[in-house]
């Protein structure tokens, strides 16, 4: 792990970005400012004691649980971006095509503050019971927390992780998720060269199919071979490389409802 940790991409970022976390796996939206900072600080200490290189500028909050009031604590720990489940962005949009098959309650109307992105897509050949936003919810944006007592605004980049694609990838990676077939369904929505579609496959990685030897061996090798034969259409990148090359507009602020994956 340390051998690859200090190797960088062409952009100078770690090739494997071991992102920030909470030391004792807290559900951060249910804790307070000081607790969140303490958890990250302890994780930094564990990281420093075991791994080479710099600490990440991004965080995967445990269980991908996020709420806007976490932003001040995350920023004050030097973090710049946070992963969120993209369904919690989509459900805040006008005209979100809700149905009960997704396993979630109907959106709270108080959270419906994002305009209709107009790019709803029904994905096929994977478990995807609700339509997704093909481009808007597959691009980083800013989210804002406003302190109710002071009125101070704090903004942070939210990186949407793809709910249904990540779940499918968790069954075993390339081959379990039909990369070519499914990602091609998003391809026609890649219309903004300054903010291309970013597909983040978030899952536990240590259970279900994602914990098998084939996930990290033969399936990953097949993924690399597929990329090499489709290099003009698909690129494997790190989140930090993407953000450095395609930063979101600071005025592009979205609402994210509280929730986990």
């Amino acid at each position: 792990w340390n051998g690859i940790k200090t190797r960088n991409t062409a952009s100078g970022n770690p090739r494997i970005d071991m992102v920030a976390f909470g030391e004792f796996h807290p559900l951060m939206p249910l804790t307070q400012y000081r607790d969140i900072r303490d958890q990250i600080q302890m994780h930094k200490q564990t990281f420093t004691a075991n791994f080479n290189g710099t600490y990440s500028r991004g965080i995967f909050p445990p269980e991908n649980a996020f709420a806007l009031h976490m932003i001040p604590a995350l920023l004050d720990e030097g973090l710049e971006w946070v992963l969120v489940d993209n369904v919690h962005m989509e459900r805040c949009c006008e005209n979100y095509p809700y149905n009960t098959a997704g396993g979630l309650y109907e959106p709270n109307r108080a959270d419906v503050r994002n305009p209709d992105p107009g790019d709803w897509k029904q994905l096929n050949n994977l478990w995807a019971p609700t339509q997704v936003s093909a481009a808007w919810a597959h691009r980083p944006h800013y989210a804002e927390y406003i302190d109710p007592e002071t009125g101070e605004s704090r903004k942070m980049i939210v990186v949407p992780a793809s709910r249904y694609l990540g779940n499918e990838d968790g069954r075993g990676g390339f081959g379990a998720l039909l990369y070519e077939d499914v990602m091609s369904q998003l391809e026609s929505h890649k219309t903004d060269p300054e903010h291309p579609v970013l597909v983040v496959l978030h899952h536990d990685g240590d259970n279900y199919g994602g914990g098998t030897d084939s996930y990290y061996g033969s399936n990953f090798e097949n993924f690399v071979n597929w990329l090499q034969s489709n290099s003009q259409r698909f690129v494997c990148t790190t989140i930090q490389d993407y953000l450095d090359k395609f930063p979101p507009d600071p005025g592009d602020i979205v609402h994210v409802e509280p929730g986990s994956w």
Side-chain angles (χ1 to χ4, degrees), residues 47-78:
F47 174 88
T48 302
N50 291 278
F51 298 104
N52 300 322
T54 58
Y55 199 67
S56 179
R57 287 185 271 170
I59 183 170
F60 177 87
E63 304 298 340
N64 213 178
F66 175 76
L68 295 175
H69 64 259
M70 293 165 47
I71 288 178
L74 301 182
L75 291 175
D76 291 344
E77 281 304 314

Side-chain angles (χ1 to χ4, degrees), residues 183-212:
M183 292 185 186
S184 294
Q185 298 172 51
L186 306 175
E187 196 171 6
S188 63
H189 295 270
K190 193 186 70 172
T191 58
D192 183 352
E194 295 186 0
H195 304 97
V197 168
L198 176 68
V199 179
V200 179
L201 305 174
H202 65 329
H203 52 79
D204 282 340
D206 60 353
N207 54 28
Y208 205 16
T212 61

Side-chain angles (χ1 to χ4, degrees), residues 5-78:
K5 180 68 181 67
T6 54
R7 294 180 62 185
N8 290 336
T9 67
S11 299
N13 295 311
R15 292 187 67 182
I16 291 183
D17 192 0
M18 301 173 73
V19 296
F21 199 69
E23 179 75 359
F24 298 128
H25 199 279
L27 292 177
M28 289 181 171
L30 304 181
T31 64
Q32 298 179 352
Y33 171 88
R34 185 69 260 171
D35 298 314
I36 294 172
R37 294 199 62 180
D38 286 346
Q39 288 287 325
I40 297 171
Q41 289 171 15
M42 286 187 285
H43 184 261
K44 287 179 181 177
Q45 292 173 2
T46 299
F47 174 88
T48 302
N50 291 278
F51 298 104
N52 300 322
T54 58
Y55 199 67
S56 179
R57 287 185 271 170
I59 183 170
F60 177 87
E63 304 298 340
N64 213 178
F66 175 76
L68 295 175
H69 64 259
M70 293 165 47
I71 288 178
L74 301 182
L75 291 175
D76 291 344
E77 281 304 314

